[in-house]
Structures are given as C-alpha cells and as structure tokens.
Amino acid sequence: MKKLVLFLTIMFITMSYSQETKQIPLINVNGEGKVKVAPDRVCISATVETKGNNAKEVKKQNDEKIDAVLKFIKKMNVPAADFKTKQVALNPQYDYEKKKTNYNATQTIEIVVKDLSKYDELMEGLVQQGINRIDHVTFESSKELQLQSEARKLAMKDAKAKADDYVSVLGQKVGKAFVISDNSQIYHPQPMYAAMRMKESADNAPSNETLAIGEIEITANVSVSFVLD
C-alpha cells in the first residue's frame, strides 16, 4: 500500500512538473494610444524671494510682499480653494570671504487658474506685487482621468491589431491576453512662450499675448503578451 501511495505521489509530481514546464505559445507586442485635448486650466507656482543681512527684516519684507500678492489674487476673483501657500523658508547663508551671515527668505504660492483668459493679467499683477520667481507653469485638463482611460483603451486596441497583423500570415489566431504591462508616463506641456508682459507706459497701452497654449497630449503605452491559438 505504501509503495502504491509513493508511486502515485511520484506520478503526480512528475505530471505537475511537466505541466508547469510546458511552454505556452505567446506573441509579445507593444501598443500606444494618444488623446489630444485643449487644456482648460493652468497651475502656476510663484515665489517671492528676499535677501538681506538681518533675518527679522528679511522675513518682514517677504511677508509684506506675499500679503500684497494674496490680496491681488483675491482681487482677481480666484476662489480660495484654488490657491495656497506651498512653501515657506528662511535660511542663513554664510559668506566666508566677508565673514558675515546673510539671510534668504522665500514663500511659494501655488495658483490654479480655471479661466485661461486671466493668465496674462494675473502673471503681470503677480510680478508687480512682488513675485520675482516663476518656478513652473503647467497646463492641465479637468477631464484628465477620463482621457487617460481613453488612451489606455486605444493602446490595448493598437496592441491587439499589431498581434493580429503578425500572426495573420501564419494561419494562427490571437487568443487571450496572458500578461499586460502599463508603461505609460504623464506629460504636462509647458507654455511655448510664457514671458511675463509689463506695461510699457500708460494703462491704455496695447496688451500683448504671451502664451501659446496648444494641446495636451495624453499617451498610454502597454506591453501585452497574447496566447496563440
């Protein structure tokens, strides 16, 4: 009886090992899906930077400029939920040649502008009120999650079409997906020209357009292994 059990156990292990090591015929392809859309909002990261040799005075000057900036943003009717303080810092910087310590104060405000027609006026006003560093300007779409889903579906369709093309001349068919890998990366376009305009003389001076918005291109990339029937 023991010999029979041992014999059956060895047979089961052998069969299992044989099944596990059996190679599955696969075809590996990459697929890409692209969706383009005009952005409907812009995220601006702007900083006030102040330097001096007195920490208290440097911080005071920085706070005064930020106060003016925040009041201007509110005056532009930007909702309170769409702007916030991102970072506040006061750092000593020792000058070894002059053997004295200077101080650098920074405060960064992040603003989401949902009315792109306000972009030029807002950027000009920020500079006038004390912003002296624009860290980045990022264009976004409020429908980004939906668009990413559409791009992924297009990528899968592209992968399936490629696989069908490859095996069509072999008399085989593409079966179920065996492995799917998402290789997508999200890219936010920067403004083609984002120089901040300044008033030349009078308030009625002609305004200049400083921004070419273009389109956001959302791309999805997948790698798929299909079973061959």
Side-chain angles (χ1 to χ4, degrees):
M1 183 66 179
K2 290 183 180 179
K3 290 183 178 180
L4 178 61
V5 172
L6 180 60
F7 175 74
L8 292 175
T9 301
I10 293 173
M11 282 189 63
F12 176 76
I13 293 173
T14 303
M15 290 174 64
S16 299
Y17 179 78
S18 178
Q19 290 175 356
E20 289 177 0
T21 56
K22 182 180 178 181
Q23 292 186 347
I24 301 174
L26 300 174
I27 178 171
N28 303 315
V29 292
N30 296 321
E32 183 176 73
K34 291 184 179 181
V35 178
K36 293 184 179 181
V37 64
D40 57 12
R41 64 188 184 190
V42 59
C43 182
I44 303 167
S45 180
T47 298
V48 171
E49 185 173 14
T50 310
K51 297 180 180 181
N53 54 22
N54 184 291
K56 185 177 179 180
E57 185 62 27
V58 168
K59 182 67 168 62
K60 180 182 176 182
Q61 291 177 11
N62 198 272
D63 288 343
E64 289 173 349
K65 291 179 180 179
I66 281 293
D67 180 64
V69 167
L70 292 175
K71 287 177 178 176
F72 169 71
I73 294 172
K74 293 176 183 177
K75 187 178 179 181
M76 288 290 294
N77 295 319
V78 176
D82 292 342
F83 65 94
K84 62 183 178 182
T85 300
K86 191 73 173 177
Q87 182 179 351
V88 179
L90 176 63
N91 299 311
Q93 296 178 333
Y94 186 73
D95 189 333
Y96 289 94
E97 292 184 1
K98 297 181 180 180
K99 295 183 179 180
K100 67 176 184 178
T101 300
N102 294 317
Y103 296 89
N104 183 40
T106 59
Q107 292 193 56
T108 301
I109 306 294
E110 189 174 82
I111 313 158
V112 177
V113 182
K114 296 177 180 177
D115 182 355
L116 296 181
S117 66
K118 293 183 177 180
Y119 175 85
D120 283 319
E121 184 181 357
L122 180 68
M123 293 291 273
E124 179 182 353
L126 290 175
V127 174
Q128 290 177 343
Q129 298 303 325
I131 290 292
N132 50 16
R133 202 176 82 203
I134 301 296
D135 297 317
H136 67 253
V137 177
T138 306
F139 291 99
E140 301 172 345
S141 171
S142 58
K143 299 179 180 179
E144 190 164 302
L145 292 177
Q146 176 186 337
L147 297 172
Q148 288 175 9
S149 177
E150 291 179 13
R152 285 192 289 267
K153 291 175 182 178
L154 291 173
M156 287 300 298
K157 288 181 180 179
D158 182 49
K160 178 63 164 55
K162 287 179 179 177
D164 286 334
D165 285 342
Y166 287 130
V167 304
S168 62
V169 297
L170 302 176
Q172 292 178 286
K173 293 183 179 180
V174 176
K176 295 181 179 180
F178 188 72
V179 177
I180 301 174
S181 300
D182 186 355
N183 307 319
S184 304
Q185 293 183 343
I186 300 174
Y187 168 68
H188 294 290
Q190 302 300 311
M192 294 173 62
Y193 175 58
M196 294 165 289
R197 66 182 176 89
M198 304 298 292
K199 289 186 178 179
E200 296 178 359
S201 53
D203 289 339
N204 59 354
S207 61
N208 300 317
E209 292 186 5
T210 66
L211 196 64
I213 297 172
E215 291 183 322
I216 294 175
E217 184 177 274
I218 296 176
T219 304
N221 291 282
V222 293
S223 298
V224 187
S225 297
F226 290 102
V227 177
L228 293 179
D229 293 336

